[in-house]
């Protein structure tokens, strides 16, 4: 009777642990290097691409679910996964596979960013 609920809680715990670990690694990189935020984002995205290319990130996704797919490294995983599947259709498929697999996320980001820009007034950050 409690088993389905415990399974859901265990899934949340795994996602939180893996997502937290990824964020902790990013915070350590921020604290101990002079890398800019943009460079760190690219580094983590490329890490997701490389780990998926080696077949490692898929295991992390199967274990942690959203804890591994929501961070920026999950976007790299998504691009690499689409490129690998698209490459089965040929050289051109490797490029279109990556773009088509990520198109929903990119479209949502653009649309919601536009909506927030229409709702809120942007201003410069004061130091």
């Amino acid at each position: 009777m409690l088993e389905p609920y415990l399974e859901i809680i265990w899934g949340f715990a795994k996602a939180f642990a893996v997502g937290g670990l990824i964020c902790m690694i990013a915070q350590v990189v921020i604290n101990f290097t002079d890398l800019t935020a943009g460079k760190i984002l690219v580094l983590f995205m490329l890490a997701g691409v490389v780990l998926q290319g080696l077949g490692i990130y898929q295991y992390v996704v199967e274990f942690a679910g959203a804890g591994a797919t929501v961070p920026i490294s999950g976007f790299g995983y998504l691009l690499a996964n689409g490129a690998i599947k698209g490459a089965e259709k040929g050289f051109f498929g490797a490029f279109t596979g990556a773009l088509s697999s990520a198109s929903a996320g990119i479209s949502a980001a653009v649309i919601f960013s536009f909506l927030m820009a229409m709702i809120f007034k942007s201003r410069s950050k004061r130091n």
Side-chain angles (χ1 to χ4, degrees):
M1 187 158 129
L2 286 176
E3 189 172 322
Y5 298 109
L6 293 176
E7 190 173 320
I8 292 171
I9 292 171
W10 178 239
F12 284 150
K14 292 188 297 186
F16 181 78
V18 171
L21 179 67
I22 293 170
C23 292
M24 182 192 73
I25 293 169
Q27 190 63 50
V28 168
V29 170
I30 290 169
N31 289 347
F32 294 108
T33 67
D34 291 331
L35 295 174
T36 62
K39 290 179 182 177
I40 293 170
L41 285 171
V42 170
L43 178 72
F44 272 74
M45 191 201 64
L46 289 176
V49 169
V50 170
L51 289 174
Q52 178 58 18
L54 296 172
I56 297 169
Y57 208 83
Q58 183 64 41
Y59 295 114
V60 178
V61 169
E62 289 172 3
F63 175 75
T69 57
V70 170
I72 193 69
S73 56
F75 181 68
Y77 152 78
L78 184 66
L79 288 174
N81 199 26
I84 290 168
K85 289 180 181 176
E88 295 171 357
K89 298 176 184 173
F91 181 74
F92 189 67
F95 294 106
T96 59
L99 295 175
S100 64
S101 68
S103 62
I106 293 171
S107 297
V110 170
I111 291 168
F112 288 121
S113 297
F114 177 74
L115 290 175
M116 292 301 113
M118 297 301 292
I119 295 171
F120 297 103
K121 181 180 178 185
S122 64
R123 57 184 169 87
S124 297
K125 182 178 176 182
R126 296 178 196 217
N127 291 330

